Structures are given as structure tokens and as C-alpha cells.
Amino acid sequence: MGKQDSAAKTSNLSFEEFKTIVLEDFKLVNESRQASLLGRKEVLTGKAKFGIFGDGKELAQAAMSKVFKNGDFRSGYYRDQTFMFAIGALNLQQWFAGLYGHTDLSEEPMSAGRQMGGHFGTHSLNEDGSFKALVHQKNSSSDISPTGGQMPRLLGLAYASHFYRINKELQNAPFTNYSNKGNEVAFGTIGDASTSEGLFWETINAAGVLQVPMLVSVWDDGHGISVPKKYQTTKESISEILKGFQRENGGKGYEIFKTRGWDYAHLCETYEKAIKICREEHVPVLVHVEEVTQPQGHSTSGSHERYKSKERLEWETEFDCIRQMRQWILNNALATEEELLKIEEQAKETVKAAKSAAWNNYLDPIKAEITEVSALFEEMGGEDVLAIRKEIQSIKEPNRRDLHSAIKQVLRLTHNKPSDIRGQLTGWLETARIQNHDRYSSHLYSQSAQKVQNILPSAVTYGDEKLMDGREILRENFDAILQKYPEVMIFGEDSGKIGGVNQGLEGLQLKYGEHRVFDTDCVRSRKYNTWIIFYTLCSL
Ligand SMILES: Cc1ncc(C[n+]2csc(CCOP(=O)(O)OP(=O)(O)O)c2C)c(N)n1
């Protein structure tokens, strides 16, 4: 059976339906690639400050996106633009707005420029701070810059799903807003070099112990920046050294798959198999995607010709995933050369248009400010002021800093000549300062009605005095909280069976069950509770 036949068969699709899906994917990966190519140019020509892109990882992400359902969560890293496009959480124009650091949420919905481009988050909250129905949307927890930092929260998200499944009290409203009886999977992505980090190993171990629905994909392009796998990974293969985690004879552990980043049909088949096990059996699964390339090197900070051999570079050209997919489409007569050329050309046009729209929307408000201030300069007159006006107007791609420096220069020049216009310029700067505070410094902390500063302190009242141990007071409080909120759990080293080394949880496991109060290793108790608590307590 050919690859085409097997992929079509597993999905029960007609040939025409299958062809449409394949060509849609071809369009998606081409658009994503063009975005990476143009994105690098935007940085190297100074319009954006830094770029790190998903070129070379497009096919694997297109395949992974097919099994990602509403309610699922992603916790991944900066290479995942194709996946985000595929699940409809980001479009090309918004992606460019992220690259430019546009601070308007309607342009850059990930973080309104608060985070570097490539930090792919979806919103869990409405404008007023209330929770969205997470089960009805595709979710992504925002990436963070330290590589491997996505792993602890991935475990938390997968554990949350497990908790909703085992805790029957959470299977009715309002909890059905967050989980459909724990049917959700937490999808993780990580680069091969980052699998050497402690966070990766701790997460892998914990998910194996807990048996949670976590699907981790490793995009293995053989390098961590310039350093090849032989200096990063024992035996140069993460799936090889994780073999001891493979479940056997109905026991606990992982399912581990290996596939190749350029093999579209095998990638799709692998993800179909992987998700079935992960979602239905609620066990962790690892997909090791080998033979992945990085056509433009690590980031805009350098070029890969410095550290990749001629042979490696030739191999990367030959096994570029889009080139391989193209050949596979032609070999299987799914489209003609002309049809593919048309898709490729169209992708270039679409991306160019998206880039221009994003850039114009970023630049137009700044240009409007320059026009406004230039009129004031003109009215003020004088050779020096008009020279500054000319200079600011001649900058092709100005930023607000250029404009503010120009105004300050004019104010300095005219410090001993008070005038109405000078007053207007000072006023203009003050208004801009307030607007810029909103643009660049707002929403770094919660501004919703639920923000911490809105919690009013309650004065302590004393009744009949009774002498108690501190640990008893803690225990009574934990007891009251567990009683009131079925979504609360307590876990950590010694928290379960013995009720804490200082007995602050004495008897609570017996009272509320092992699924609410339980023991874990000490590392997990430190790191992972934030995310677990966040997603299980979201209705508090
Ligand atoms: C904790 C931490 N250490 C180092 C870095 C710098 N850094 C950024 S990306 C990277 C390499 C990551 O390689 P890999 O995990 O293989 O992913 P790839 O970029 O190749 O897809 C490094 C070392 C970082 N961001 N965070």
C-alpha cells in the first residue's frame, strides 16, 4: 500500500476530500515558510528587532494540528507559528504585527507587543476578567523565553485534565466551562537540545508517574543553536534514551513514536495513532520527530553556514519538508506542477500583502503624529526648527522615539523664547506620555475587577480565646477550603498519607480522598502547582 493510500484509508476519506486537505496543507506550509523568509528580511532591514521562526518545522505542525481539538491546550515554544495558523488562533497579519511589537491588541492578539513575537498565547479571559468557555476554543498557554519553561505548565495542564476526569464533582456546571470530563489533551512541543534540561526530565518522569494525557512532540533538527546533538543528548536520540519509560504488558509508562519531519503521510499517521492512545487511555505519549531542518538557521542573530557542514546544508536542502511534500504530491498525482506553482505564487502574494498591512497599521499612527507635530514646527518657524522638521519628515520608517527627540530638540532650542506654540508642543508631549504609558506599560499586571488590589482586607475579630497549635489552625483552614471548593486539591511531598510533616493536613486525605490530597515528589510540589491550581481553580 502506498503512503497516499494508507493516509487516506486511516482517515476514511474519499480521494477528492483527501486531495483537498493535502493541498490546503500545502498552502498552509508555503504561507508559513514565506512568513519566515520575509520575517527575517524585516529584521535584517531594521523594521523588526529580532526574529526566530518556524521554517523547517511546518509539516510536523500541520500534522499535529489535525488532532488538536477544542478544549485542548498547547504549551510549546517559539517555532510553532504553523500550528497556530492551522488551528486558526493567529493569522499572517497578526503574526507580522507580533514581529513589529505592535502594542494594539486588535492588531497583535497574542500579547499586544508585551512579549516578543513567537510567544503564542490565546486568551482564557474576557475583557471583564471573567473566564471564557475554554472547552469551546483551541487554547495555547503563552510561551516563555527560557527554553524548557513550557514543560512544567504542560504537566499542570495535563494534570488538570486528569483531575477533571477523576473528580466527579467537577463534571457539572460551572466546571464544564473548563473541561468536558477531562477529555482534553495537553500538547507540548520542545526542541531537541532543550530536552537536555532538568525541566524536561522532571516533567517526563512526573507525567509517567501520574499517567496524564500529555502529548509531547520533540522537533529534532539536530542542533541547539550551533551545538550538534552529539554534545547535547546521550546516544544522540531522545526517544532512544527514553525507552525505559515505554509502557509494557499493560503497565504504566509512555507510548513513544518516532517519525520524520519531511514525511507528510507518516507524520499524519503517527499523530492519529498518538492522539488515540493519549486521549482515550489518558496516558502520556511522546512523538520524536527526527530529520527536521532549519533552513534559515537558529534566529536572525546569525547564519547557520557558520556551524553546519557542507554535507549537512546539502541534506537540509534536499530534505526540506516542503520540497519533500511537493515531490510526494507529484509522485501520487494529487496535483499538477502548474497547480502547485499557483499555490506557491499565491502564498508569496498573500504573505506580502499581510506583511504590508501589518506594517502600515503599525506605522500610520506614528506618521499621523509626525504630520501633526510638523504643522506646529512650521507655525513656529525659524531656520533651526524648520531643519528639524525637514529631518523628521525625511525618515522613511520613523518611530516614536525619533519624533520625541525632535520635539525635545526644538524645546531646548527655544527655551528662552516662550510662545503659544511652544506651550502646545509641551502639552503635546504630556498627552503623548499618558498615551504611551497605556501603549507600553499597561496590562503588565491585571487591570480587571478581580485584581489583587481590589481585595479588601477584613479586620480580625476575636471571640472566645482558645489556645491551639498553629498547625491546627492551618488544618482547619485547609479543611474549610476543601469543603467549600471541590476544585481545590492539595499535593506535595508528605502532604497525603501522613498529612504533612508538621501535621497541617492531618486527616484530610482520609476525609477528602486521595484524588484531592496526595503525595508527590518534592520537585513537583515546588514547581507545578501554579499551573495546576490555575486551571483547576479557575472558577473560584
Ligand atoms: C534556559 C535557557 N537557556 C538558554 C537559552 C538560549 N537559547 C535560546 S534557543 C536555544 C537553543 C534551543 O535549541 P532546541 O531546543 O534544539 O530548539 P530549536 O531552536 O533548535 O528549535 C538556546 C540555547 C534560553 N532561551 N533559555
Side-chain angles (χ1 to χ4, degrees), residues 50 52-53 55 57 77-79 144-150 190-197 199 218-227 229 232 292-294 297-299 307:
F50 177 72
I52 188 157
F53 307 123
D55 43 311
K57 277 97 183 159
Y77 79 117
Y78 46 81
R79 302 279 179 214
I144 53 174
S145 294
T147 53
Q150 68 274 34
I190 187 163
D192 56 290
S194 303
T195 65
S196 311
E197 290 182 48
L199 292 174
V218 180
W219 308 146
D220 185 352
D221 58 22
H223 291 79
I225 310 188
S226 67
V227 182
K229 266 197 299 197
Q232 309 260 16
V292 174
T293 69
Q294 199 148 269
H298 178 74
S299 74
Y307 52 83

Side-chain angles (χ1 to χ4, degrees), residues 130-177:
S130 61
F131 265 88
K132 290 178 183 258
L134 304 184
V135 284
H136 294 139
Q137 63 178 34
K138 297 195 163 79
N139 303 287
S140 174
S141 65
S142 180
D143 308 14
I144 53 174
S145 294
T147 53
Q150 68 274 34
M151 297 305 289
R153 79 168 72 146
L154 175 65
L155 176 65
L157 290 163
Y159 191 82
S161 188
H162 171 75
F163 190 62
Y164 279 106
R165 178 161 283 187
I166 60 169
N167 193 345
K168 300 280 177 259
E169 284 183 84
L170 301 184
Q171 297 183 359
N172 299 307
F175 304 107
T176 41
N177 212 30

